[in-house]
């Protein structure tokens, strides 16, 4: 029997009976989304995520060193009008399942159909694509949902053009509030530098939130470790399995990002200035730290699984030890009771006046001596 088969057999019964397909839910979702493109030519505008009722929304931050204007829930025509200004623009688009409107924006800014296909394919790994007129970057944005105590992953596509950054999101709510605050306050370099610095700030915010998610993982694992040491209940093993699945999703988001950030830092990309590459190098260092943390927590989860098995084995050993001691004490007592339970007539003790008291005294003495021997041997 292989190791993988043994792991499946040892999984909690709830996962095997109530959720028999949960082991492969991530892969199943990936294949399901990819199947939407089967048979289609390249560059087709097909959204591969889950359809929702989230409205299509465009918000724009138009800024210079001394001025900032915000525009929310604007139309595509208003967006194209703003694009004609000489300000730096951050265009944030929510609701990319509205494929026609996304296609309209991509066509207006000469975004290649293959890039548009990547924007709408939400189950791909982080990547970077340097085109003639723009730079395309796809990252995975992670947030921790305290209600369901799980990690929520969303693909964010960033398109860097001259004096403009366009971000495409699946739904409302992101990790960019810090960037918005910095733009509104006008402090620091974010409004003084170009759009490539804004791209850096957005990617840096995504990476920084990885540490917040990993911190939640650390807190969960510490609580589980304490419970395992005290009780070692079955639900702790189930939670470890679920955390391990969550860590796989986090790893899929973090590992490929290292290559993306490395290209931003080292490759000769005309949209990234040399002065901005210094800051991107810091993002690269943070990405490496996040990867190290992911690997550390993966090892920690495995060690907690081994610890759980050890605690359960120790509990079982204690139970077996107790039962063995009780059985060992009662073996001679059972023998004595069997001897005096025979059906022969000429047993001398049967005629004694104090034969019954003699029997119980013998039982107590033999049981006490057996228990004393276990005590001296320190088996109890």
């Amino acid at each position: 029997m292989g190791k993988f088969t043994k792991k499946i057999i040892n999984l909690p019964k709830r996962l095997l009976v109530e959720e028999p397909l949960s082991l492969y839910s991530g892969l199943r979702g990936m294949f399901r989304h990819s199947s939407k493109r089967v048979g289609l030519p390249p560059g087709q505008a097909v959204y591969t995520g889950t359809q929702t009722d989230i409205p299509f929304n465009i918000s724009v931050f138009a800024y210079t060193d001394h001025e900032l204007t915000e525009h929310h829930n604007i139309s595509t025509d208003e967006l194209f009008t703003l694009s004609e200004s000489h300000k730096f623009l951050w265009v944030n688009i929510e609701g990319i399942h509205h494929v026609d409107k996304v296609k309209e924006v991509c066509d207006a800014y000469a975004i290649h159909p293959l890039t548009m296909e990547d924007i709408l394919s939400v189950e791909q790994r982080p990547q970077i694509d340097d085109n003639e007129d723009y730079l395309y970057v796809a990252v995975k944005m992670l947030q921790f949902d305290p209600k369901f105590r799980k990690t929520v992953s969303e693909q964010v596509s960033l398109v860097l053009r001259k004096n403009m950054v366009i971000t495409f999101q699946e739904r409302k709510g992101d990790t960019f509030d810090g960037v918005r605050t910095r733009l509104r306050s006008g402090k620091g370099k974010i409004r003084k530098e170009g759009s490539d610095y804004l791209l850096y700030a957005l990617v840096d915010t995504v990476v920084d939130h990885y540490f917040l998610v990993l911190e939640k993982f650390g807190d969960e694992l510490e609580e589980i470790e304490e419970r395992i040491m005290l009780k070692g209940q079955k639900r702790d093993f189930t939670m470890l399995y679920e955390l391990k699945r969550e860590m796989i999703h986090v790893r899929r988001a973090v590992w490929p990002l290292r290559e993306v950030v490395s290209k931003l830092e080292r490759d000769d990309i005309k949209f990234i200035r040399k002065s901005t590459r210094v800051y991107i190098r810091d993002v690269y260092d943070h990405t490496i730290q996040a990867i190290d943390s992911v690997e550390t927590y993966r090892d920690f989860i495995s060690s907690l699984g081994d610890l759980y098995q050890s605690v359960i084995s120790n509990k079982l050993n204690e139970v077996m030890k107790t039962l063995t001691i009780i059985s060992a004490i009662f073996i001679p007592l059972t023998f004595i009771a069997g001897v005096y339970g025979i059906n022969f007539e000429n047993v001398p003790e049967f005629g004694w006046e104090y034969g019954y008291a003699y029997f119980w005294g013998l039982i107590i003495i033999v049981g006490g001596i057996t228990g004393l021997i276990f005590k001296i041997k320190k088996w109890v």
Side-chain angles (χ1 to χ4, degrees):
M1 184 181 296
K3 294 182 178 179
F4 182 77
T5 306
K6 291 181 180 178
K7 290 182 179 180
I8 296 296
I9 292 177
N10 292 328
L11 285 175
K13 184 177 180 182
R14 179 183 68 83
L15 294 175
L16 294 176
V17 177
E18 299 178 10
E19 301 177 19
L21 299 180
S22 63
L23 294 172
Y24 308 103
S25 60
L27 292 176
R28 188 177 68 244
M30 184 190 307
F31 294 146
R32 182 177 63 246
H33 294 155
S34 299
S35 65
K36 295 182 180 181
R37 295 189 175 277
V38 173
L40 296 177
Q44 292 298 304
V46 178
Y47 175 64
T48 62
T50 303
Q51 294 290 341
T52 63
D53 57 354
I54 298 175
F56 186 78
N57 179 49
I58 300 177
S59 60
V60 178
F61 279 73
Y63 62 93
T64 62
D65 188 5
H66 305 289
E67 181 184 1
L68 170 70
T69 57
E70 297 185 37
H71 308 269
H72 299 281
N73 198 22
I74 64 175
S75 64
T76 52
D77 293 335
E78 293 174 304
L79 170 62
F80 302 149
T81 302
L82 288 172
S83 302
E84 297 175 358
S85 67
H86 298 287
K87 298 180 179 179
F88 293 112
L89 297 181
W90 172 24
V91 180
N92 187 50
I93 297 176
E94 299 169 349
I96 61 173
H97 57 279
H98 297 272
V99 176
D100 293 339
K101 295 184 178 180
V102 172
K103 188 175 185 302
E104 183 181 355
V105 173
C106 291
D107 291 342
Y109 292 110
I111 297 176
H112 197 277
L114 290 177
T115 303
M116 180 180 61
E117 179 181 340
D118 291 337
I119 292 172
L120 297 174
S121 301
V122 297
E123 289 297 330
Q124 60 182 337
R125 57 183 283 146
Q127 62 171 300
I128 181 172
D129 186 13
D130 185 14
N131 289 273
E132 183 68 25
D133 299 323
Y134 60 87
L135 174 68
Y136 171 70
V137 178
V139 298
K140 290 291 184 180
M141 181 172 60
L142 301 180
Q143 300 182 77
F144 186 80
D145 188 343
K147 181 179 180 180
F148 298 99
R149 300 178 71 84
K150 65 181 298 184
T151 304
V152 179
S153 175
E154 177 186 354
Q155 176 175 302
V156 178
S157 297
L158 304 97
V159 176
L160 173 63
R161 294 172 53 88
K162 184 179 179 181
N163 299 336
M164 176 187 292
V165 174
I166 308 174
T167 53
F168 295 87
Q169 301 186 44
E170 297 180 65
R171 51 185 174 267
K172 186 177 179 62
D174 52 39
T175 62
F176 299 144
D177 288 340
V179 177
R180 295 185 180 97
T181 301
R182 290 159 60 187
L183 284 171
R184 290 171 182 140
S185 65
K187 297 179 180 179
K189 297 184 177 182
I190 193 165
R191 278 169 52 178
K192 300 176 183 178
E193 301 290 339
S195 296
D196 58 338
Y197 189 90
L198 176 61
L199 177 76
Y200 145 75
L202 294 173
V203 175
D204 182 56
T205 302
V206 170
V207 174
D208 286 345
H209 272 76
Y210 290 166
F211 292 99
L212 298 180
V213 172
L214 291 172
E215 184 179 350
K216 297 294 183 181
F217 274 102
D219 295 339
E220 291 277 352
L221 291 173
E222 288 179 2
E223 293 177 4
I224 293 175
E225 182 183 27
E226 293 178 0
R227 290 199 302 268
I228 288 177
M229 294 300 297
L230 293 176
K231 299 180 180 180
Q233 297 180 353
K234 187 176 181 179
R235 69 182 183 93
D236 295 323
F237 185 76
T238 303
M239 291 185 64
L240 280 177
Y241 171 75
E242 293 173 351
L243 287 175
K244 187 173 184 178
R245 289 185 60 211
E246 292 286 320
M247 191 59 67
I248 291 175
H249 294 306
V250 174
R251 190 174 188 271
R252 286 179 56 197
V254 177
W255 264 93
L257 186 60
R258 177 179 63 174
E259 180 181 353
V260 172
V261 179
S262 177
K263 288 184 177 180
L264 284 175
E265 175 198 356
R266 299 177 181 178
D267 288 7
D268 187 16
I269 300 175
K270 65 179 182 179
F271 294 98
I272 305 296
R273 295 173 301 164
K274 184 177 181 180
S275 59
T276 305
R277 288 197 175 94
V278 177
Y279 299 99
I280 295 177
R281 190 177 302 121
D282 183 63
V283 179
Y284 181 79
D285 294 338
H286 291 173
T287 305
I288 297 299
Q289 294 176 19
I291 292 174
D292 292 341
S293 299
V294 168
E295 296 304 316
T296 300
Y297 283 130
R298 289 186 68 198
D299 294 339
F300 191 26
I301 290 174
S302 298
S303 64
L304 286 182
D306 296 337
L307 177 62
Y308 172 83
Q309 297 293 347
S310 299
V311 170
I312 296 301
S313 298
N314 289 336
K315 286 185 176 182
L316 181 60
N317 291 337
E318 289 295 327
V319 172
M320 295 302 298
K321 178 181 177 181
T322 303
L323 294 176
T324 302
I325 292 174
I326 294 174
S327 300
I329 293 175
F330 274 89
I331 286 175
L333 305 184
T334 304
F335 172 75
I336 295 173
V339 169
Y340 287 104
I342 60 179
N343 293 323
F344 295 108
E345 295 182 358
N346 297 322
V347 179
E349 290 84 356
F350 287 173
W352 292 359
E353 179 180 359
Y354 299 103
Y356 183 72
Y358 159 77
F359 171 78
W360 278 109
L362 182 62
I363 290 290
I364 293 173
I365 291 173
V366 172
I369 292 174
T370 307
L372 182 61
I373 292 174
F374 284 127
K375 187 71 174 178
I376 293 175
K377 295 290 187 179
K378 296 183 179 181
W379 292 345
V380 292

